[in-house]
Amino acid sequence: MAPVRTTSAIVVATATISISMAVFSYFLFFKKITSTLHSGKKKKPGNGIVDAIGNTPLIRINSLSEATGCEILGKCEFLNPGGSVKDRVAVKIIEEALESGDLAPGGVVTEGSAGSTAISLATVAPAYGCKCHVVIPDDVAIEKSQILEALGATVERVRPVSITHKDHYVNIARRRALEANELAAKNKKARQVDDKDLDRMNDCILDQEKENPGFLSHCNGGFFADQFENLANFRAHYEHTGPEIWEQTGGSLDAFVAAAGTGGTVAGVSKFLQEKSPKIKCFLIDPPGSGLFNKVTRGVMYTKEEAEGRRLRNPFDTITEGIGINRLTQNFMMAKLDGAFQGTDKEAVEMSRFLLKNDGLFLGSSSAMNCVGAVRVAKALGPGHTIVTIICDSGMRHLSKFYDAKYLSQYGLTPMATGLEFMSIK
């Protein structure tokens, strides 16, 4: 019987030690947590709205991941204060301009934009003591100009024309910055004249202000943001978005895909990721009417007949906004791409409804196209890969077009899919 008692004693002793260690570990852990909570080491509050920009979550898009056998992850840029990935660009452009002296506090930032960059500039400009003037095509969703005006920006809506036309929205925005600088110089000269000439000069300035847009009054010069060619756009993503994706995935990703408008996002992220690991494949997803797919895959953007300089109307045959272009920008030329895919408006519309129904993701048109691209990449690489894309903005800015049933029906784009059959996935 003695051996039995010995065995029982050992079991009891072992159990007692295990319980004691568990209790000790619990109290040690609890003490550590309690000590941390009451240590006084609190995280400092962010310095205004600018510090709330970036470090957005990276989420698994469950429905697409399960359908493809890949891990498809979306960077939630719609959670930035201004509601889009362009908040990063706005901050970088304004900060670099202030640092260089090209923009003065109290000055006006002008930009030609299809909406998101303009909204971001209007959101952050007041944080730097600046104003914002935006020129946008008159065919973009009306809610975008309404948001801009609510944010305090002045808005010019102009008809879409080729970039080579003097009245293209980008060219008008550039002129507005020059006009603001000219008026600021005249105002400065007026303040330097003798008192006897002051009234005469003031009368002259008032007359000049009547001839110019209201935003030019009482501003300390102008600065054209130039999001298409200003490499601050690229740097915003090379220095921040790319590193965030690398850190959030622990460097364990196989591919990145995104559409391009200015090209800043796809360029900055692709260049950073491929410098970290050349094994990471980076791709473009291009909407209808854009020439970037041809440039990436064939080395030729367009035929002579398709050249944007020869077009007299809006060159894009797509309802997506903010993506697709028929010229090479300085930002896009920084991209490191392994290939490109084409998406259709029908796929983008169907994808947006599929993700809303299955994941609760309410996406804008460019975000939906990016998700189309993610599925394209997943099918090309096969199951077992990790693919990252950008969820640029939400559907809140696309209600009057991309989410309007009557508008979509005019173009034969009424969503009808019940699953992912529009991507040839059963």
Side-chain angles (χ1 to χ4, degrees), residues 35-47:
S35 175
T36 302
L37 289 173
H38 298 286
S39 64
K41 295 181 180 179
K42 297 180 180 178
K43 186 177 179 181
K44 289 182 64 178
N47 184 22

Side-chain angles (χ1 to χ4, degrees), residues 339-351:
F341 299 89
Q342 281 184 314
T344 67
D345 282 351
K346 183 67 172 175
E347 289 170 337
V349 171
E350 294 286 11
M351 180 63 76

Side-chain angles (χ1 to χ4, degrees), residues 16-312:
T16 302
I17 292 170
S18 298
I19 293 170
S20 298
M21 289 299 294
V23 172
F24 176 76
S25 299
Y26 170 80
F27 280 107
L28 184 64
F29 176 75
F30 180 80
K31 182 178 179 181
K32 182 178 179 182
I33 294 296
T34 304
S35 175
T36 302
L37 289 173
H38 298 286
S39 64
K41 295 181 180 179
K42 297 180 180 178
K43 186 177 179 181
K44 289 182 64 178
N47 184 22
I49 193 171
V50 173
D51 275 3
I53 294 170
N55 293 309
T56 54
L58 184 70
I59 65 168
R60 181 180 191 264
I61 303 178
N62 293 326
S63 65
L64 300 185
S65 298
E66 291 160 8
T68 61
C70 290
E71 287 295 292
I72 296 183
L73 311 178
K75 185 95 166 112
C76 297
E77 291 298 298
F78 64 90
L79 294 177
N80 281 307
S84 83
V85 67
K86 296 296 187 178
D87 282 13
R88 298 174 184 268
V89 178
V91 166
K92 191 67 172 174
I93 286 176
I94 291 176
E95 287 186 347
E96 288 193 5
L98 288 169
E99 185 178 348
S100 67
D102 291 334
L103 173 65
V108 60
V109 181
T110 72
E111 183 57 295
S113 168
S116 288
T117 303
I119 291 171
S120 293
L121 286 169
T123 299
V124 304
Y128 295 95
C130 299
K131 301 177 181 179
C132 184
H133 179 81
V134 180
V135 186
I136 62 176
D138 62 12
D139 62 347
V140 303
I142 187 65
E143 53 266 36
K144 292 185 178 180
S145 61
Q146 292 171 335
I147 292 170
L148 285 164
E149 289 168 350
L151 289 169
T154 51
V155 181
E156 281 186 75
R157 292 176 66 91
V158 299
R159 68 185 181 91
V161 293
S162 165
I163 186 65
T164 60
H165 195 289
K166 68 181 181 67
D167 289 330
H168 185 275
Y169 62 94
V170 170
N171 296 330
I172 293 176
R174 183 183 288 108
R175 286 205 303 272
R176 294 294 180 249
L178 293 174
E179 291 166 1
N181 285 329
E182 291 172 0
L183 187 56
K186 290 177 182 178
N187 285 342
K188 183 177 180 180
K189 182 177 180 180
R191 288 192 294 271
Q192 295 172 346
V193 301
D194 296 334
D195 289 342
K196 63 181 180 180
D197 295 326
L198 190 58
D199 290 339
R200 179 176 59 81
M201 289 296 296
N202 279 342
D203 290 341
C204 177
I205 291 167
L206 286 172
D207 289 340
Q208 291 166 354
E209 290 181 352
K210 290 176 183 177
E211 297 173 3
N212 288 286
F215 80 95
L216 295 177
S217 303
H218 313 297
C219 72
N220 192 18
F223 171 74
F224 175 49
D226 197 13
Q227 61 166 327
F228 287 89
E229 309 300 335
N230 189 337
L231 288 177
N233 184 345
F234 158 80
R235 287 188 287 271
H237 300 292
Y238 179 78
E239 296 173 9
H240 299 286
T241 317
E244 287 174 27
I245 291 172
W246 178 260
E247 181 179 350
Q248 289 169 320
T249 59
S252 181
L253 72 156
D254 300 292
F256 171 76
V257 60
T262 64
T265 304
V266 74
V269 174
S270 66
K271 184 171 173 60
F272 177 85
L273 291 179
Q274 292 209 342
E275 285 179 355
K276 296 297 288 187
S277 173
K279 294 181 180 179
I280 299 173
K281 302 298 182 182
C282 297
F283 299 95
L284 171 79
I285 178 70
D286 213 26
S290 176
L292 296 180
F293 171 81
N294 284 339
K295 181 62 180 177
V296 174
T297 59
R298 303 172 188 169
V300 179
M301 179 165 276
Y302 43 63
T303 65
K304 291 181 179 180
E305 291 74 25
E306 293 171 329
E308 189 167 2
R310 296 175 179 268
R311 293 174 182 263
L312 299 179

Side-chain angles (χ1 to χ4, degrees), residues 403-420:
Y403 281 93
D404 184 80
K406 184 176 180 181
Y407 177 85
L408 293 177
S409 67
Q410 295 174 356
Y411 298 93
L413 296 173
T414 300
M416 301 177 68
T418 58
L420 285 170

